[in-house]
Amino acid sequence: MSKFLLGRYINGDSLVHQMDARAKLALSIYFIAIIFLANNWATYGLLLILVLACVLLSKIKLGFFLRGVAAMIWLIIFTVLLQVFFTTGGHVYWHWGILNLTQVGLVRGAYVFCRFVLIIFMSTLLTLTTSPLEISDGLESLMKPLKYLKVPVYEIALMLSIALRFVPTLLDETQKIMNAQRSRGVNFGEGKLLDQIKAVIPLLIPLFVSAINRAEDLATAMEARGYRGGEGRTKYRQQVWQLKDSLALVVFGLVTVGLIFLRTW
Amino acid sequence: MAITFTGLNYIYQANTPFEYHALKDINLTIPDDSYTAIIGHTGSGKSTLLQHLNGLLKPTSGSLEVNGQLITPQTKNKQLGALRKQVGFVFQFPEAQLFEETVLKDIAFGPQNFGKSQAEALEIAKQMAQLVNLPASLWEKSPFELSGGQMRRVAIAGILAMTPKTLILDEPTAGLDPKGRLEMMEMFYRLHQEEKLNIILVTHNMDDVANYADNVVVLEGGQVLKTGSPQEVFAEPAWLKKHHLGLPKTTAFAQKLVERGFKLDKLPLKEKQLAEKLVALIGGTDHE
């Protein structure tokens, strides 16, 4: 579990770290949308420059992002291979049954690869530079308009922030129970499939029980401290929209214009 | 067959920015049939050290030998099965490990994993339930219906049921009431005396160290600071204070007496020793 980098936050003081979580969240989602505008090398080049600039600004080592990609590498390879071998069109280099290696296929495969890498870089950047609490605060205020559609935005945000807060705690708990059961002679991840599934029971049951106990304790503690639901609460962590956030929006807007221009060019 | 650490290092998440050097060049021998207490500040590496003893963690470098089995960074998990049977590990708040339908089945889980038949294992489970003072009326209940203290007993019985040669206790009495604490500690001590069980205890309670242990290891910042008998370790209150460790209540009280002019040749650890010394002192003045 120690290699698990997804959703990890690295404390820092770079320009990207200081940005408002709402801006970062919105821009990450927006980035995933505009990546579908890219359809030739020039457009991918522009997006690559944008992503690399963001990475540089975050002052985080490139190795982290590469590790994020490495975690997904099998999914990427699988998708790329599907594209490469099942796309027809253009010059045919190789042909066997339903498998084709064509010029269009190779290019498409390369595009899919770029798309994956860029999206992973951008989402890794979001989680590496934004603490989970900031993300849940950001999501809450981005979801505010949904209130008018009777979506319980506050409750969702509360659940999200509690869930995020307890991920590391539950991971620790899992590790602890796993160790305890190992000491009692359970071998996790060894033997036949059926044995492996059976070995999970002594881990899962205590974990569920402890999660339920924890939830009960937490609910009691919250009520004892005067929690009565979302209505009429004030906020301790204030989110501040700064000039750099607006500037980031402008940059992304310009990139979008550039993309549309390069697309048809 | 003692436990020997040789130049052992352990690094958490090596080669990442989250790297943490938890144990630094540990050289340590824990003799057989001893009751060893490991003390040290929170984060001094006690738990990391313990997890090496039954192969839950393997050294990053260096090695250790437990009951004749050598564990090096290259040791495979498969080679550790026998070791886990020999070294029982009672984790902090062990009641979190209960999962079976009934108390007896849960206690029998360990022995069954190490090859006992179901009937044999249940027989052992009954013995162990008696040993930890669980009334027979609870044996067929679900472990989740029990009180916290009873759950703790079930969990400990589940470890003892594997009949280990070495028993590791990581704060076994944390969160228990005084009566439960005393019962539990006395039971471990009895096992140590009668069954020659080698006990390794991690605790913050210096009274337990003074009352039961015959060997003390002091850890700080992932290094062994001192080893010796409780008498040796608790002999210098100033040194302990410097390293943020406490004294047993009896010793602390005796030290106050010394400061007020009482003459004690060495600081007593147990209440009985102190009482005897005080009686001797009073007796001494009587003869004058």
Side-chain angles (χ1 to χ4, degrees):
Chain A
M1 250 157 270
S2 55
K3 301 250 158 56
F4 202 69
L5 201 75
L6 208 72
R8 214 92 184 245
Y9 168 63
I10 298 179
N11 215 340
D13 195 31
S14 72
L15 203 60
V16 186
H17 280 90
Q18 294 164 7
M19 272 176 66
D20 192 291
R22 286 167 294 182
K24 281 190 270 188
L25 262 170
L27 287 178
S28 310
I29 296 165
Y30 182 67
F31 179 81
I32 294 173
I34 59 172
I35 203 160
F36 292 101
L37 283 177
N39 65 349
N40 56 34
W41 288 117
T43 47
Y44 276 110
L46 181 63
L47 286 173
L48 185 69
I49 291 168
L50 176 72
V51 168
L52 285 183
C54 293
V55 168
L56 270 182
L57 281 176
S58 75
K59 292 182 188 156
I60 292 174
K61 281 188 205 132
L62 199 62
F64 275 105
F65 298 91
L66 293 179
R67 232 175 287 168
V69 174
M72 306 268 283
I73 196 71
W74 292 112
L75 179 70
I76 299 175
I77 289 178
F78 178 72
T79 321
V80 168
L81 286 182
L82 274 186
Q83 283 285 340
V84 167
F85 286 113
F86 290 101
T87 311
T88 49
H91 182 77
V92 180
Y93 298 111
W94 181 77
H95 174 82
W96 186 78
I98 52 163
L99 298 179
N100 292 298
L101 194 63
T102 64
Q103 190 192 2
V104 175
L106 280 178
V107 171
R108 286 251 176 100
Y111 284 169
V112 166
F113 181 77
C114 290
R115 226 175 251 180
F116 263 115
V117 170
L118 291 178
I119 290 178
I120 291 170
F121 266 48
M122 213 49 166
S123 47
T124 314
L125 185 70
L126 173 73
T127 54
L128 285 181
T129 60
T130 322
S131 76
L133 275 178
E134 283 178 321
I135 293 188
S136 79
D137 276 355
L139 270 180
E140 184 184 355
S141 60
L142 285 182
M143 286 191 300
K144 274 223 177 95
L146 294 178
K147 255 190 193 157
Y148 301 105
L149 299 173
K150 300 248 155 78
V151 178
V153 171
Y154 173 79
E155 279 74 14
I156 293 175
L158 178 75
M159 282 191 275
L160 190 71
S161 60
I162 290 177
L164 287 171
R165 155 68 186 77
F166 280 101
V167 166
T169 313
L170 284 177
L171 278 179
D172 279 354
E173 181 96 21
T174 313
Q175 190 64 53
K176 211 194 106 182
I177 296 173
M178 230 167 148
N179 277 342
Q181 305 297 25
R182 267 201 196 123
S183 303
R184 295 214 281 168
V186 179
N187 292 315
F188 291 102
E190 279 171 34
K192 291 187 206 119
L193 186 65
L194 194 67
D195 293 339
Q196 286 195 33
I197 294 172
K198 271 190 191 158
V200 177
I201 296 171
L203 176 63
L204 274 191
I205 293 179
L207 207 55
F208 277 128
V209 170
S210 112
I212 291 167
N213 287 337
R214 211 181 278 282
E216 253 182 43
D217 289 349
L218 182 68
T220 313
M222 281 171 75
E223 283 187 347
R225 287 166 54 163
Y227 180 81
R228 295 282 175 277
E231 280 308 303
R233 275 169 64 85
T234 52
K235 267 193 161 301
Y236 172 63
R237 294 184 303 270
Q238 300 288 339
Q239 303 179 68
V240 192
W241 189 271
Q242 294 158 296
L243 182 64
K244 48 173 102 70
D245 300 307
S246 311
L247 280 179
L249 289 192
V250 171
V251 170
F252 272 67
L254 288 177
V255 169
T256 316
V257 174
L259 278 178
I260 294 171
F261 174 69
L262 289 171
R263 226 174 112 80
T264 48
W265 176 58
Chain B
M1 296 292 262
I3 297 168
T4 324
F5 290 79
T6 320
L8 184 139
N9 281 283
Y10 188 77
I11 303 173
Y12 280 103
Q13 309 199 21
N15 306 322
T16 73
F18 307 103
E19 186 173 286
Y20 179 67
H21 202 153
L23 293 178
K24 294 167 194 158
D25 192 32
I26 303 280
N27 288 293
L28 178 68
T29 305
I30 298 174
D32 242 3
D33 297 335
S34 71
Y35 194 129
T36 300
I38 301 182
I39 57 176
H41 225 242
T42 317
S44 57
K46 303 184 295 283
S47 298
T48 312
L49 186 80
L50 290 186
Q51 289 182 42
H52 278 84
L53 293 173
N54 73 347
L56 288 173
L57 294 178
K58 280 176 276 183
T60 309
S61 68
S63 67
L64 75 154
E65 198 179 322
V66 184
N67 298 344
Q69 172 147 16
L70 187 72
I71 306 173
T72 65
Q74 285 80 35
T75 305
K76 297 257 177 354
N77 280 331
K78 275 195 180 145
Q79 298 165 297
L80 296 170
L83 185 68
R84 300 233 165 102
K85 188 189 175 308
Q86 284 176 19
V87 183
F89 200 141
V90 178
F91 281 82
Q92 252 176 58
F93 300 103
E95 53 273 26
Q97 74 192 27
L98 304 177
F99 73 99
E100 278 280 14
E101 293 159 62
T102 70
V103 167
L104 278 189
K105 274 191 190 170
D106 201 286
I107 301 177
F109 179 68
Q112 269 179 289
N113 281 331
F114 290 114
K116 289 267 190 290
S117 75
Q118 199 175 4
E120 282 174 317
L122 281 176
E123 201 44 52
I124 298 173
K126 279 178 195 159
Q127 288 168 18
M128 292 303 151
Q130 273 165 350
L131 183 70
V132 297
N133 250 335
L134 270 181
S137 57
L138 300 178
W139 290 1
E140 292 303 327
K141 280 199 172 171
S142 155
F144 300 112
E145 289 173 41
L146 308 185
S147 74
Q150 290 166 334
M151 283 169 84
R152 178 80 55 97
R153 282 158 204 268
V154 176
I156 290 174
I159 310 289
L160 293 175
M162 304 186 305
T163 55
K165 282 186 203 144
T166 304
L167 185 66
I168 303 172
L169 304 167
D170 193 352
E171 300 198 42
T173 57
L176 287 186
D177 59 89
K179 184 167 166 280
R181 269 183 51 80
L182 190 67
E183 265 182 41
M184 205 67 94
M185 291 311 293
E186 290 292 335
M187 182 197 70
F188 291 133
Y189 193 58
R190 220 172 50 234
L191 287 171
H192 167 62
Q193 299 252 292
E194 290 166 11
E195 317 271 333
K196 298 280 169 241
L197 195 64
N198 189 3
I199 291 188
I200 298 167
L201 168 77
V202 163
T203 183
H204 290 289
N205 186 325
M206 297 304 153
D207 295 331
D208 285 345
V209 179
N211 283 331
Y212 302 111
D214 50 31
N215 183 21
V216 181
V217 177
V218 185
L219 285 183
E220 191 181 79
Q223 284 167 310
V224 177
L225 212 56
K226 198 171 203 171
T227 54
S229 67
Q231 282 79 15
E232 288 162 4
V233 172
F234 290 129
E236 295 165 65
W239 183 86
L240 286 165
K241 200 168 179 191
K242 193 180 139 211
H243 293 286
H244 309 285
L245 293 166
L247 277 174
K249 282 197 201 83
T250 311
T251 318
F253 181 68
Q255 201 208 347
K256 282 205 174 125
L257 289 178
V258 170
E259 280 166 12
R260 293 284 175 95
F262 278 76
K263 287 193 175 55
L264 300 170
D265 47 345
K266 57 180 180 181
L267 293 174
L269 297 176
K270 303 181 191 183
E271 280 167 42
K272 210 176 152 209
Q273 293 170 345
L274 178 63
E276 276 166 7
K277 285 196 176 174
L278 288 179
V279 167
L281 272 178
I282 296 166
T285 50
D286 253 9
H287 282 289
E288 274 179 1

